[in-house]
Amino acid sequence: MIRRHRKTRKLKAEINVVPYIDVMMVLLVIFMITAPMLTQGVKVDLPQAASDPVDDRDKEPLIITVDADQNYYIDAGGDPEEPLAAEVVSDRVGKILASNPDKMLLVRGDKGVDYNAVVQLMVLLQQAGAASVGLVTE
C-alpha cells in the first residue's frame, strides 16, 4: 500500500476588512450629504458680519428667532416652526433659565426685520432673567 503525504495547509485566521471599509466610505458620503440639510428652525436671511464663533463646548444654546414678519420662534418646548407671542417666549425662556441659569441665549434676526423688533426681543429676554444674549450672524 502506497501512502501519499498531503501537504497540510495552515489556516489563516484573518478578517478581510475591505468590505467593511467600503461600507464605512458609503456611510461617510451619506452623512456628508445629509448633514447640511439638517438645519433647524425657521428660514431667515442672517446679516453678514465678521465675528468669531462662540465657544459653546458641551452646551446647547437656546435660539430665539425673529423672522421678517416680526414673528418669534423658539427652538425648545414645542414646535420650533410655530410663531409665538412675546409673553409665551418670555415665559418659556424664564422657565428654561430657572432650571439652567448658565444656558446660552442666541437671537437669530432676519436681516429684513426692523431693528426695533430685535431690541424688543432682547428686552423680553432680559426681563425673563437672561444675563447676556448673543446675536447670530452668517
Side-chain angles (χ1 to χ4, degrees):
M1 206 184 297
I2 301 175
R3 286 191 179 182
R4 289 189 165 174
H5 290 282
R6 284 183 140 176
K7 276 190 169 178
T8 57
R9 291 186 188 174
K10 203 174 199 182
L11 291 176
K12 288 186 180 180
E14 296 178 0
I15 297 175
N16 187 2
V17 295
V18 174
Y20 299 115
I21 293 172
D22 292 342
V23 169
M24 292 303 295
M25 292 301 290
V26 169
L27 288 174
L28 178 65
V29 169
I30 289 171
F31 285 123
M32 287 174 55
I33 291 171
T34 58
M37 292 186 247
L38 297 177
T39 57
Q40 294 181 3
V42 179
K43 174 74 173 137
V44 293
D45 293 325
L46 294 174
Q48 300 287 332
S51 61
D52 294 329
V54 177
D55 182 24
D56 60 349
R57 285 184 232 128
D58 300 330
K59 293 182 184 176
E60 186 71 27
L62 177 63
I63 301 174
I64 300 96
T65 304
V66 182
D67 68 359
D69 297 327
Q70 298 184 5
N71 295 319
Y72 298 127
Y73 302 89
I74 192 166
D75 70 343
D79 184 12
E81 295 187 13
E82 176 187 342
L84 301 172
E87 298 80 25
V88 175
V89 171
S90 179
D91 185 48
R92 283 192 190 170
V93 170
K95 288 178 183 176
I96 291 170
L97 289 175
S99 65
N100 187 0
D102 295 332
K103 189 76 164 171
M104 183 185 314
L105 296 177
L106 298 176
V107 173
R108 292 177 66 222
D110 192 281
K111 67 181 177 182
V113 75
D114 185 31
Y115 182 68
N116 186 41
V118 176
V119 171
Q120 292 299 323
L121 175 62
M122 293 177 78
V123 168
L124 281 173
L125 296 176
Q126 185 180 22
Q127 290 172 351
S132 65
V133 177
L135 296 174
V136 178
T137 59
E138 220 173 56

